[in-house]
Amino acid sequence: MTFYVGFRSSRAASTTQDFLVARRTVRSRRNAAAVSGEYLSAASFLGVAGLILKDGVDALWYPIGFTAGYLALMLFVAAPLRRSGAYTLPDFVEARLGSGGLRKLATFFVIFIGVLYLLPQLQAAGLVLSRIMPVPQWVGPVIVIVVVVVNVFGGGMRAITVVQAFQYWLKLFAIAVPTFILCAIFIGRGGAGAHETSLTAPTSPTFTDTTTVRVDTPVRLRIKEPVWLWADGVVNGAPASGDVFWRPEVGEVTVNAGTTLRFSAGSAVPVVAGAAADNDSWMRPSSGGAGDLFTTYSLIFATFLGTMGLPHVLVRFYTNPDGKAARRTTLHIMLLLALFYMFPLLLGALSRIYVPELLVTGRTDAAVTELPAKIIPGLPGEILGAVTAAGAFAAFLSTSSGLVVSVSGVLSTDVLRGRVRDFRWAALMAGLVPLGMALVLRPNDISLSIGVTFALAASTFCPVLLLGIWWRKLTWVGAGAGMIVGGGLVIGAIVLDVVSRYTGDWAPSFVKQPALITVPIAFFVVYIVSKATHRRQPADTSRTLLRMHAPDPLGFIRDRDVARFGTAEERARLADGRHRR
């Protein structure tokens, strides 16, 4: 279906403006659906329910932050950014501050953020496909990249806009229908039965029947209640084969990859270290003390401010006809996102009751796809599972499409010569490089990976956008210093976290969510350096700010470097509005 919609839409795409900004004629409702389709990634479709299953109410901040970020975008950035006439974020940076060097720095961060955001999408695609079909995990990422690159290759932004708008409604259907059915069955049964642990019980969740779990990656399990089990593999560094008893006094046990564990029905579920071990702590916010509180505030900071720095989100606002349409698009997006996020929360809570075995391996991202078959055994459950899997694949495709388009646009205009042929070559590169990295690197919790990407966007582009639009004294030196310091700190945290995960998980918690430290530092550096270099302020600052803030009917909007991207004939076609229908 994605192929067909992309093929139908790509037939009308022929110019560079089609490929970069869909001729700037996309109406607000269609653009809102496209942005929502692009924004609701694997982190939203799979990761949010998985985090609710594992962390409980602390994870509620993810969907709240993901949605609330658009409020800041609507109030401060959307309309002025569209009125600037830019085609890409580097375009905006150069237009506002007049520095080619700063443009190159922005290009680097756009590509880096795009690749970093794309990795969890591809890894999640491998996870889902390997669970529903007998194929290795590398098949999923390969399929996603092939579909995305072919669509982008054929029609660029113009084709992807229609594809992503369609995929939002597909994802909403794929998660809403199973949720309604599963909730109806749960309520019809009168809640959790005799074999399940209700969420109001303060004890640990229990296995609903005899369950065998295979550990694919090494895990540390937290033991809250005594449990008998059968183990075959390596536990706490020693071989184990037969019955084992884990007491609460041991605190944690380490289970090596390749170990098989079998639990009897009614046994308490040991959970991966860091997860809520019992339902009492699962229901209470910040039960882990000051460390959890810092992580929560840092997450709020990252998601609220990071949205306005995501290149693949911002690039969609360049497709609106004017600033008013860009702001209206943002309002529609918040409504669509709020509607969608109700459903992963319910599925996460049900997963805590019916698929607690996912807490043993930490692969909680599989909760959405495995829950239907557990509540409704047989063919109906498999059909619902197939529907959610289709929605998950739509999430991978739509987000990956937006990321490949945004990275391709920057590569084609800033690294290559900006022609249609260059855009297509850039799309190929933007797909193959992340694919290679996704096949090599170890998968992590999807939403946690996305959280770091938001922190990077908030620490680099957020200060430049906010101060560039609303503070006339910003200089290119200050903007560059802020991007380097903020981005460097987040990249350093990412490197530390990756090294830590491969060498015993010794890194402190703020490394996993560094935004609360890095974003204020980035703003401070931009302000101080700009004040110190006030003589570098561009001479046309007043004219640029007037263009960004003047009402649309005054006609100050002017596309940047139109001559570079289109002939007079193409500009005439731009005004015909055919793409609106």
Side-chain angles (χ1 to χ4, degrees):
M1 182 61 76
T2 297
F3 257 131
Y4 175 74
V5 174
F7 173 74
R8 291 269 304 173
S9 308
S10 64
R11 290 185 300 177
S14 58
T15 69
T16 306
Q17 289 190 352
D18 285 326
F19 278 75
L20 287 179
V21 290
R23 299 189 192 183
R24 298 195 192 275
T25 55
V26 184
R27 286 179 172 174
S28 57
R29 290 182 182 175
R30 173 177 289 186
N31 211 16
V35 175
S36 302
E38 176 178 77
Y39 192 63
L40 294 173
S41 62
S44 298
F45 201 92
L46 300 177
V48 169
L51 287 175
I52 293 291
L53 161 63
K54 188 172 71 173
D55 297 331
V57 295
D58 284 338
L60 289 175
W61 286 111
Y62 279 93
I64 292 173
F66 288 156
T67 307
Y70 278 94
L71 180 62
L73 188 64
M74 180 181 71
L75 293 177
F76 304 118
V77 173
L81 184 68
R82 170 61 191 92
R83 292 178 188 131
S84 72
Y87 282 81
T88 61
L89 258 176
D91 252 356
F92 169 80
V93 168
E94 188 181 30
R96 171 64 179 86
L97 299 167
S99 169
L102 188 64
R103 180 185 181 113
K104 292 177 182 175
L105 183 64
T107 299
F108 166 77
F109 277 115
V110 166
I111 295 173
F112 189 84
I113 291 172
V115 172
L116 194 65
Y117 207 110
L118 199 48
L119 286 179
Q121 315 303 320
L122 301 180
Q123 290 170 340
L127 171 71
V128 170
L129 196 65
S130 64
R131 287 187 180 276
I132 61 176
M133 297 178 66
V135 296
Q137 285 206 3
W138 59 265
V139 175
V142 171
I143 291 177
V144 167
I145 286 298
V146 169
V147 173
V148 167
V149 169
V150 168
N151 275 341
V152 174
F153 210 81
M157 179 64 83
R158 182 156 184 168
I160 291 304
T161 298
V162 182
V163 169
Q164 289 175 331
F166 163 76
Q167 285 173 338
Y168 168 78
W169 296 109
L170 174 63
K171 281 185 279 190
L172 185 64
F173 173 83
I175 201 165
V177 171
T179 304
F180 277 123
I181 293 175
L182 297 179
C183 285
I185 292 174
F186 177 76
I187 295 171
R189 288 176 180 173
H195 301 293
E196 296 94 18
T197 306
S198 70
L199 296 179
T200 54
T203 58
S204 301
T206 56
F207 292 100
T208 55
D209 48 28
T210 300
T211 305
T212 300
V213 177
R214 180 176 172 78
V215 178
D216 294 325
T217 56
V219 292
R220 285 187 299 118
L221 296 178
R222 186 177 170 194
I223 310 302
K224 185 77 173 179
E225 297 180 23
V227 55
W228 279 98
L229 69 149
W230 180 89
D232 181 18
V234 179
V235 178
N236 280 336
S241 180
D243 292 334
V244 178
F245 180 62
W246 288 345
R247 297 172 300 170
E249 290 78 13
V250 301
E252 292 183 354
V253 297
T254 303
V255 181
N256 284 23
T259 301
T260 300
L261 307 174
R262 187 166 63 240
F263 301 88
S264 56
S267 299
V269 178
V271 303
V272 290
D278 54 70
N279 289 344
D280 185 41
S281 58
W282 185 81
M283 295 282 284
R284 282 189 291 111
S286 300
S287 54
D292 274 4
L293 200 60
F294 176 89
T295 302
T296 300
Y297 278 111
S298 193
L299 173 68
I300 296 170
F301 225 61
T303 52
F304 189 71
L305 296 178
T307 302
M308 71 174 67
L310 291 176
H312 69 291
V313 170
L314 294 178
V315 74
R316 298 225 53 92
F317 291 96
Y318 308 138
T319 65
N320 281 126
D322 51 40
K324 184 179 178 182
R327 188 167 286 155
R328 195 164 52 235
T329 295
T330 317
L331 181 62
H332 290 155
I333 292 170
M334 285 192 287
L335 296 175
L336 294 178
L337 294 184
L339 175 63
F340 179 90
Y341 278 126
M342 289 192 301
F343 303 109
L345 304 184
L346 293 171
L347 291 179
L350 288 176
S351 300
R352 182 85 180 179
I353 300 173
Y354 291 102
V355 284
E357 59 267 24
L358 296 176
L359 294 167
V360 179
T361 60
R363 305 303 298 271
T364 51
D365 297 327
V368 170
T369 54
E370 294 196 2
L371 181 63
K374 202 64 184 291
I375 294 183
I376 318 174
L379 184 61
E382 292 178 3
I383 292 175
L384 286 184
V387 170
T388 58
F393 245 83
F396 310 142
L397 291 173
S398 58
T399 304
S400 302
S401 300
L403 290 164
V404 169
V405 165
S406 64
V407 174
S408 304
V410 170
L411 280 175
S412 65
T413 56
D414 286 77
V415 180
L416 304 175
R417 296 174 60 185
R419 301 166 301 182
V420 171
R421 183 171 54 186
D422 298 322
F423 185 92
R424 286 172 167 160
W425 279 112
L428 196 59
M429 287 188 285
L432 291 182
V433 172
L435 174 62
M437 296 174 67
L439 297 179
V440 172
L441 294 178
R442 177 189 296 181
N444 198 4
D445 283 339
I446 298 170
S447 278
L448 299 181
S449 305
I450 296 296
V452 175
T453 310
F454 273 74
L456 181 59
S459 304
T460 51
F461 288 118
C462 176
V464 176
L465 281 168
L466 278 181
L467 297 178
I469 290 173
W470 296 100
W471 189 43
R472 65 169 50 249
K473 295 182 179 179
L474 178 69
T475 67
W476 72 265
V477 185
M483 290 174 68
I484 291 172
V485 172
L489 289 174
V490 177
I491 292 173
I494 293 172
V495 172
L496 274 180
D497 188 37
V498 171
V499 173
S500 166
R501 277 193 276 121
Y502 280 90
T503 57
D505 206 14
W506 46 265
S509 59
F510 68 82
V511 168
K512 300 181 187 302
Q513 291 291 348
L516 196 58
I517 297 174
T518 59
V519 175
I521 290 177
F523 269 98
F524 182 73
V525 169
V526 172
Y527 176 77
I528 292 297
V529 177
S530 293
K531 294 288 280 185
T533 58
H534 61 92
R535 295 182 187 279
R536 304 292 184 90
Q537 189 178 328
D540 62 345
T541 298
S542 298
R543 188 170 53 195
T544 306
L545 291 179
L546 176 64
R547 190 164 66 238
M548 287 194 289
H549 295 289
D552 297 314
L554 295 180
F556 283 97
I557 292 182
R558 180 171 57 85
D559 281 358
R560 181 169 164 75
D561 292 336
V562 169
R564 180 181 174 188
F565 299 109
T567 64
E569 181 184 356
E570 289 167 349
R571 290 197 296 275
R573 290 173 54 194
L574 178 66
D576 65 11
R578 283 182 292 174
H579 186 55
R580 295 181 179 186
R581 290 189 291 270

